[in-house]
Amino acid sequence: MKIDKTGLFGVILILVGLIVYATSSLDQLVMMITWPLLSGSSEGKAVLFMMLIGSFLILNSLINTNRFLAPVNEKTTEYSPDGKKFLKWTILIILLTCLVGLLIEFSIRFKYGVSPLTIFVSTNPTSTTTSPMHTHVFKSVFGHIADTMGGLVPENVHTGGSLYPEVIPGGYFIFITLPLAYITGLLSLNMGKDIYRVILAFALALALIGMVDGGLYSQPLLIGLGLLFILYFVKKHFQFRQLILPLALIFLVALSGLALELAGNNSSYHEIKVLNQFEPVDLSGYNVLSTEMQGNMTVIRIDTSQSDKTTLESLFKTYEGRADGFFITWNFFSYF
């Protein structure tokens, strides 16, 4: 079985990923390197990142060099000599999946009659956050499978499975689009120099991870999608003006995210709407401004003197295993 240089590089990446998965000695180093790309990188996400890049490069190498796969190579080249038709389909599938993820986010809030621009935290049995700005609706479907199989992922990797009951059946959409995006992405690698294929595999891996974990406005998807836009629109004879359109497109996506962040911002107080609280909680550690009951929902307002991250982590401990979940408004400026 022949394999080219990029395929060999893919093998090395997968071996490193397996070592990181099996041991703990490289965890911190790998997470430190991948954190700027994956944002809040965990061991599982870093391993998946390396595995995805490696698998793209290995399979692409086999398609290009293995005589049994020659018909695949011929047909893909005939359909798209430069691979850009497949790349276009990949981008469209990724965007469609992200839009469906946003619709699922909004449908959860519509079901409970709360603002669409809030963070939802499922707290039974463990805490999982999701919001239009960083969605975990598709991750939770895979997390549920991992939880039911047991031992599939390390205990320190958060699966988000507790969110699963809120996202089905729409969350199953990822089982269609993720394989499709992977296949079209793989076929888009078919042409180009080695460095082009490595960069494209890198961008595809980031975009696919963001598609499942984080959604349209997540760091990996914005970086990956931005690179995919550039690789799609830049022609063989490169000129800097070719960067205008792809950079404008990714800027518009990022700008729409900023607009939603500001539209949902509430710097005056955090409004928390607790679902089906079945055990009493201690709120003495919070500066509670008001409390009222609305059916099976407890509505609490607290001040925003602490950052959103600190407030959320505290609320995890307060409501985990004591309610089905809660919605909370965000203070965008607390991150500065």
Side-chain angles (χ1 to χ4, degrees):
M1 182 176 65
K2 292 181 180 179
I3 193 166
D4 58 21
K5 288 183 291 184
T6 56
L8 182 60
F9 180 56
V11 171
I12 293 170
L13 281 175
I14 286 182
L15 288 175
V16 172
L18 291 172
I19 292 170
V20 172
Y21 178 79
T23 66
S24 58
S25 56
L26 295 176
D27 287 1
Q28 293 303 315
L29 176 63
V30 170
M31 285 191 283
M32 182 178 68
I33 293 171
T34 57
W35 187 89
L37 298 169
L38 302 177
S39 180
S41 174
S42 63
E43 176 195 345
K45 204 184 290 187
V47 169
L48 180 61
F49 181 50
M50 288 184 284
M51 291 288 189
L52 277 172
I53 298 174
S55 67
F56 276 126
L57 295 177
I58 291 169
L59 291 174
N60 173 252
S61 175
L62 292 176
I63 290 173
N64 287 333
T65 59
N66 193 301
R67 63 188 180 90
F68 293 107
L69 296 175
V72 175
N73 195 10
E74 289 171 7
K75 287 187 179 296
T76 55
T77 304
E78 182 182 342
Y79 175 72
S80 178
D82 59 0
K84 292 206 172 177
K85 285 185 180 178
F86 290 111
L87 183 54
K88 178 180 69 175
W89 282 113
T90 306
I91 292 170
L92 291 174
I93 293 167
I94 291 169
L95 288 173
L96 174 63
T97 306
C98 291
L99 291 175
V100 170
L102 284 174
L103 289 175
I104 295 172
E105 287 283 353
F106 294 144
S107 71
I108 294 172
R109 288 148 185 82
F110 178 76
K111 180 172 73 172
Y112 291 106
V114 302
S115 168
L117 298 178
T118 51
I119 300 167
F120 174 59
V121 184
S122 174
T123 53
N124 192 18
T126 57
S127 297
T128 302
T129 64
T130 191
S131 82
M133 311 315 303
H134 192 95
T135 178
H136 290 139
V137 296
F138 294 129
K139 174 186 175 181
S140 67
V141 177
F142 290 103
H144 174 74
I145 294 172
D147 291 341
T148 55
M149 294 181 70
L152 188 63
V153 296
E155 290 183 6
N156 62 312
V157 175
H158 187 254
T159 62
S162 64
L163 189 62
Y164 173 77
E166 299 291 344
V167 305
I168 55 172
Y172 292 133
F173 187 66
I174 194 67
F175 290 146
I176 300 170
T177 57
L178 184 62
L180 280 176
Y182 184 93
I183 292 168
T184 55
L186 173 63
L187 296 177
S188 71
L189 282 163
N190 205 32
M191 300 298 292
K193 296 179 180 179
D194 290 350
I195 187 64
Y196 173 87
R197 287 186 284 163
V198 170
I199 294 172
L200 181 50
F202 173 85
L204 287 167
L206 280 175
L208 292 185
I209 288 172
M211 187 172 83
V212 174
D213 184 1
L216 187 61
Y217 303 116
S218 65
Q219 196 163 304
L221 193 130
L222 285 173
I223 296 171
L225 190 62
L227 285 171
L228 292 180
F229 281 152
I230 289 171
L231 294 170
Y232 179 76
F233 287 107
V234 167
K235 296 178 173 59
K236 230 175 223 185
H237 302 292
F238 174 72
Q239 295 177 315
F240 278 103
R241 65 183 180 183
Q242 294 170 7
L243 295 174
I244 295 174
L245 181 56
L247 292 178
L249 287 173
I250 202 62
F251 175 76
L252 286 174
V253 174
L255 190 62
S256 69
L258 178 61
L260 287 178
E261 286 275 18
L262 293 173
N265 178 67
N266 187 342
S267 300
S268 302
Y269 53 82
H270 284 304
E271 185 172 77
I272 306 161
K273 295 189 173 181
V274 185
L275 298 175
N276 302 320
Q277 182 180 326
F278 46 82
E279 280 189 23
V281 298
D282 180 12
L283 297 176
S284 60
Y286 304 94
N287 184 7
V288 178
L289 304 176
S290 66
T291 304
E292 65 174 299
M293 292 298 299
Q294 293 180 0
N296 64 344
M297 194 179 288
T298 308
V299 182
I300 305 163
R301 289 181 177 179
I302 62 175
D303 71 10
T304 57
S305 57
Q306 293 183 315
S307 71
D308 281 14
K309 182 179 179 182
T310 302
T311 301
L312 276 171
E313 288 175 349
S314 177
L315 289 169
F316 291 166
K317 296 175 184 177
T318 300
Y319 285 105
E320 191 169 282
R322 298 181 179 91
D324 288 340
F326 61 86
F327 296 91
I328 181 171
T329 57
W330 64 69
N331 176 15
F332 173 68
F333 299 102
S334 73
Y335 293 99
F336 299 95

